[in-house]
mmCIF file with all atom_site columns, all heavy atoms in Angstrom:
data_model
loop_
_atom_site.group_PDB
_atom_site.id
_atom_site.type_symbol
_atom_site.label_atom_id
_atom_site.label_alt_id
_atom_site.label_comp_id
_atom_site.label_asym_id
_atom_site.label_entity_id
_atom_site.label_seq_id
_atom_site.pdbx_PDB_ins_code
_atom_site.Cartn_x
_atom_site.Cartn_y
_atom_site.Cartn_z
_atom_site.occupancy
_atom_site.B_iso_or_equiv
_atom_site.pdbx_formal_charge
_atom_site.auth_seq_id
_atom_site.auth_comp_id
_atom_site.auth_asym_id
_atom_site.auth_atom_id
_atom_site.pdbx_PDB_model_num
ATOM 1  N N   . SER A 1 85 ? 144.262 -17.973 -35.928 1.00 92.00 ? 85 SER A N   1
ATOM 2  C CA  . SER A 1 85 ? 144.049 -16.933 -34.921 1.00 92.00 ? 85 SER A CA  1
ATOM 3  C C   . SER A 1 85 ? 143.420 -15.690 -35.548 1.00 92.00 ? 85 SER A C   1
ATOM 4  O O   . SER A 1 85 ? 142.583 -15.027 -34.921 1.00 92.00 ? 85 SER A O   1
ATOM 5  C CB  . SER A 1 85 ? 145.356 -16.581 -34.219 1.00 92.00 ? 85 SER A CB  1
ATOM 6  O OG  . SER A 1 85 ? 146.238 -15.927 -35.104 1.00 92.00 ? 85 SER A OG  1
ATOM 7  N N   . GLU A 1 86 ? 143.803 -15.369 -36.776 1.00 93.00 ? 86 GLU A N   1
ATOM 8  C CA  . GLU A 1 86 ? 143.192 -14.228 -37.447 1.00 93.00 ? 86 GLU A CA  1
ATOM 9  C C   . GLU A 1 86 ? 141.726 -14.499 -37.781 1.00 93.00 ? 86 GLU A C   1
ATOM 10 O O   . GLU A 1 86 ? 140.885 -13.599 -37.661 1.00 93.00 ? 86 GLU A O   1
ATOM 11 C CB  . GLU A 1 86 ? 143.966 -13.900 -38.724 1.00 93.00 ? 86 GLU A CB  1
ATOM 12 C CG  . GLU A 1 86 ? 145.339 -13.327 -38.458 1.00 93.00 ? 86 GLU A CG  1
ATOM 13 C CD  . GLU A 1 86 ? 146.220 -13.281 -39.680 1.00 93.00 ? 86 GLU A CD  1
ATOM 14 O OE1 . GLU A 1 86 ? 145.951 -14.026 -40.653 1.00 93.00 ? 86 GLU A OE1 1
ATOM 15 O OE2 . GLU A 1 86 ? 147.181 -12.505 -39.661 1.00 93.00 ? 86 GLU A OE2 1
ATOM 16 N N   . MET A 1 87 ? 141.416 -15.737 -38.157 1.00 93.00 ? 87 MET A N   1
ATOM 17 C CA  . MET A 1 87 ? 140.007 -16.076 -38.395 1.00 93.00 ? 87 MET A CA  1
ATOM 18 C C   . MET A 1 87 ? 139.199 -15.967 -37.107 1.00 93.00 ? 87 MET A C   1
ATOM 19 O O   . MET A 1 87 ? 138.074 -15.472 -37.122 1.00 93.00 ? 87 MET A O   1
ATOM 20 C CB  . MET A 1 87 ? 139.883 -17.485 -38.977 1.00 93.00 ? 87 MET A CB  1
ATOM 21 C CG  . MET A 1 87 ? 140.143 -17.566 -40.443 1.00 93.00 ? 87 MET A CG  1
ATOM 22 S SD  . MET A 1 87 ? 139.580 -19.070 -41.245 1.00 93.00 ? 87 MET A SD  1
ATOM 23 C CE  . MET A 1 87 ? 140.431 -20.328 -40.368 1.00 93.00 ? 87 MET A CE  1
ATOM 24 N N   . ASN A 1 88 ? 139.774 -16.428 -35.992 1.00 94.00 ? 88 ASN A N   1
ATOM 25 C CA  . ASN A 1 88 ? 139.070 -16.329 -34.709 1.00 94.00 ? 88 ASN A CA  1
ATOM 26 C C   . ASN A 1 88 ? 138.840 -14.873 -34.313 1.00 94.00 ? 88 ASN A C   1
ATOM 27 O O   . ASN A 1 88 ? 137.745 -14.503 -33.885 1.00 94.00 ? 88 ASN A O   1
ATOM 28 C CB  . ASN A 1 88 ? 139.852 -17.049 -33.616 1.00 94.00 ? 88 ASN A CB  1
ATOM 29 C CG  . ASN A 1 88 ? 139.844 -18.546 -33.792 1.00 94.00 ? 88 ASN A CG  1
ATOM 30 O OD1 . ASN A 1 88 ? 138.974 -19.105 -34.449 1.00 94.00 ? 88 ASN A OD1 1
ATOM 31 N ND2 . ASN A 1 88 ? 140.832 -19.210 -33.230 1.00 94.00 ? 88 ASN A ND2 1
ATOM 32 N N   . ARG A 1 89 ? 139.874 -14.041 -34.465 1.00 94.00 ? 89 ARG A N   1
ATOM 33 C CA  . ARG A 1 89 ? 139.725 -12.624 -34.113 1.00 94.00 ? 89 ARG A CA  1
ATOM 34 C C   . ARG A 1 89 ? 138.728 -11.930 -35.028 1.00 94.00 ? 89 ARG A C   1
ATOM 35 O O   . ARG A 1 89 ? 137.921 -11.113 -34.566 1.00 94.00 ? 89 ARG A O   1
ATOM 36 C CB  . ARG A 1 89 ? 141.072 -11.912 -34.171 1.00 94.00 ? 89 ARG A CB  1
ATOM 37 C CG  . ARG A 1 89 ? 141.984 -12.301 -33.023 1.00 94.00 ? 89 ARG A CG  1
ATOM 38 C CD  . ARG A 1 89 ? 143.245 -11.515 -33.041 1.00 94.00 ? 89 ARG A CD  1
ATOM 39 N NE  . ARG A 1 89 ? 143.978 -11.861 -34.265 1.00 94.00 ? 89 ARG A NE  1
ATOM 40 C CZ  . ARG A 1 89 ? 145.094 -11.289 -34.642 1.00 94.00 ? 89 ARG A CZ  1
ATOM 41 N NH1 . ARG A 1 89 ? 145.626 -10.338 -33.916 1.00 94.00 ? 89 ARG A NH1 1
ATOM 42 N NH2 . ARG A 1 89 ? 145.699 -11.655 -35.754 1.00 94.00 ? 89 ARG A NH2 1
#
Side-chain angles (χ1 to χ4, degrees):
S85 69
E86 290 167 339
M87 279 196 302
N88 290 338
R89 288 185 296 175

